[in-house]
Amino acid sequence: EAAKKIPDGATVGLAGMGLSGWAEEIACAIRDNFKEMGHPCSLNLKQGSAMGDWGERGVTRLGEAGEGLVTKWCGAHVGSAFTLRDLAVSNKLECHCLPQGVIVNLWREIASGRPGLITKVGLGTFVDPRLGGGKMNECTKEELVKLIDFEGEEYLFYKAFPLDVALLRGTIADENGNISFAHESVINEGLAVAEAAKNSGGIVIVQVEYVTKAGTLNPKDVKIPGILVDYVVEAKD
């Protein structure tokens, strides 16, 4: 049901590292829905860290559906998602690789309604537009990075974008959608991604281990407040 909430052509934001923060069960449902019905399709996937276990789990699940589910992919690490990587190598999806710290901070810029992030990070590297702009294959044409002059110095400007869907994972949700990260290995950028989606008019979907009664979570343990959460999925496995 959650997979069906994701519209075709949506920009989908992820938060986490490895399998921490990764909504595996929902991702498998997205893959299966695409295989069966062709929807959702043409997703634009945005991630910071490598998401997966260098095996079958992680964003590589979305590539298992073959060509068409994900058509654009941007992350700081694209090597561990084998199926999506192979599609990128074959020029069957557009792919950018940008600095992890830039992506994580860019979520906050989007959340606050600012136009993007200005930084010197990436100057003179393959993400500098003079050296490729982070494009990972020939079919990737979109310019995500711009060289600018500010106060007489060179900077890179990473453009903000609207986020349609935040696909996140926590440990416990209460009945009001407040999310704790009790069993997560890291406190990731999930809050910023949720804020970016809500302030873009998008939706926030969070997978958890279980749902508890309202008022039972210690407020200090809540990492994503329920006011930012639209849908909670209680994982079966």
Side-chain angles (χ1 to χ4, degrees):
E1 185 180 353
K4 293 174 182 177
K5 299 292 184 183
I6 300 174
D8 292 347
T11 298
V12 179
L14 310 174
M17 181 179 291
L19 291 175
S20 183
W22 170 247
E24 172 81 1
E25 192 163 309
I26 302 174
C28 289
I30 294 169
R31 173 200 64 194
D32 295 344
N33 274 22
F34 175 77
K35 283 184 175 181
E36 293 171 16
M37 297 174 287
H39 303 285
C41 66
S42 304
L43 300 183
N44 184 356
L45 198 61
K46 304 279 191 178
Q47 66 185 77
S49 306
M51 298 288 287
D53 61 355
W54 294 83
E56 294 183 351
R57 294 180 294 175
V59 293
T60 199
R61 291 292 194 198
L62 301 180
E64 289 174 352
E67 188 177 356
L69 173 54
V70 177
T71 53
K72 293 183 178 181
W73 183 31
C74 177
H77 194 295
V78 296
S80 64
F82 303 136
T83 55
L84 290 177
R85 177 203 63 191
D86 291 346
L87 288 170
V89 169
S90 303
N91 277 299
K92 293 180 179 178
L93 65 79
E94 299 178 42
C95 183
H96 286 84
C97 186
L98 301 180
Q100 179 176 325
V102 165
I103 296 173
V104 172
N105 280 282
L106 189 56
W107 294 127
R108 301 195 307 178
E109 301 303 302
I110 297 168
S112 64
R114 291 188 287 264
L117 180 69
I118 297 174
T119 177
K120 288 183 177 287
V121 172
L123 277 172
T125 74
F126 71 96
V127 300
D128 189 314
R130 295 168 293 190
L131 299 171
K135 302 183 191 73
M136 300 302 284
N137 57 18
E138 294 176 359
C139 75
T140 303
K141 304 299 181 185
E142 186 178 5
E143 299 289 346
L144 301 185
V145 190
K146 183 179 180 181
L147 179 69
I148 64 171
D149 179 275
F150 181 72
E151 299 286 353
E153 296 186 39
E154 288 186 344
Y155 287 85
L156 294 183
F157 174 61
Y158 296 83
K159 294 184 288 186
F161 50 86
L163 184 62
D164 303 305
V165 179
L167 183 58
L168 309 172
R169 193 187 80 195
T171 304
I172 308 165
D174 72 8
E175 292 169 322
N176 293 325
N178 295 303
I179 308 295
S180 104
F181 278 33
H183 297 164
E184 299 305 306
S185 59
V186 296
I187 304 303
N188 58 47
E189 65 275 24
L191 174 61
V193 177
E195 291 171 331
K198 295 304 291 183
N199 286 345
S200 299
I203 61 172
V204 176
I205 304 172
V206 186
Q207 177 182 308
V208 297
E209 291 182 18
Y210 61 93
V211 178
T212 189
K213 294 289 185 181
T216 58
L217 289 178
N218 184 331
K220 291 183 179 180
D221 293 335
V222 173
K223 302 306 178 186
I224 303 176
I227 196 171
L228 297 175
V229 177
D230 297 290
Y231 305 103
V232 170
V233 175
E234 191 172 34
K236 295 176 182 176
D237 183 8

